[in-house]
């Protein structure tokens, strides 16, 4: 199961509802839509850095951060427990660098 999210601004605030609620809502939507046995791959411009409450809350719910660059992250849950390699891609034509994990 693959899910993408674009997080609220300001960075590391969780927006109007707060970081904990953002993480809870992400997890609830994924759990409602994935099937039993699915491996979850979750990523996007979360608008939260690695040490933020949003990321820590997702990790406490079983998400494992695989790669990231500032506020952009790729996480997994329910599988893919092997080690991973991260590559940051420059010159994407965006205001964000690309994040690749394998």
């Amino acid at each position: 199961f693959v899910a993408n999210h674009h997080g609220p601004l300001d960075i590391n605030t969780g927006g109007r509802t707060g970081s904990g609620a953002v993480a809870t809502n992400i997890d609830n939507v994924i759990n409602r839509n994935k099937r039993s046995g699915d491996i979850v791959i979750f990523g996007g411009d979360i608008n939260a850095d690695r040490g933020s409450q949003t990321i820590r809350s997702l990790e406490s719910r079983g998400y494992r951060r695989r790669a990231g660059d500032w506020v952009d992250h790729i996480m997994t849950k329910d599988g893919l427990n092997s080690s991973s390699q991260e590559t940051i891609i420059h010159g994407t034509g965006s205001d964000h660098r690309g994040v690749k994990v394998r």
Side-chain angles (χ1 to χ4, degrees):
F1 182 83
V2 177
N4 181 285
H5 173 73
H6 188 270
L9 292 172
D10 292 329
I11 303 292
N12 292 330
T13 67
R16 283 183 262 169
T17 61
S19 299
V22 169
T24 297
N25 291 337
I26 289 167
D27 193 43
N28 287 344
V29 167
I30 288 172
N31 286 330
R32 277 196 310 268
N33 290 282
K34 73 178 183 115
R35 294 182 182 163
S36 177
D38 279 353
I39 294 169
V40 175
I41 300 171
F42 167 69
D45 175 359
I46 313 304
N47 279 326
D49 64 30
R50 186 176 195 163
S52 69
Q53 183 182 348
T54 300
I55 298 302
R56 289 191 321 266
S57 293
L58 286 167
E59 289 172 335
S60 75
R61 289 170 170 79
Y63 292 84
R64 182 174 174 197
R65 186 180 175 280
R66 297 306 192 126
D69 186 47
W70 188 39
V71 296
D72 303 314
H73 305 277
I74 299 171
M75 304 179 90
T76 61
K77 183 178 180 182
D78 300 329
L80 300 176
N81 294 320
S82 63
S83 62
S84 56
Q85 294 179 315
E86 172 184 299
T87 303
I88 304 302
I89 304 165
H90 298 268
T92 63
S94 169
D95 62 337
H96 294 255
R97 292 177 288 267
V99 179
K100 177 181 176 181
V101 64
R102 59 182 214 130

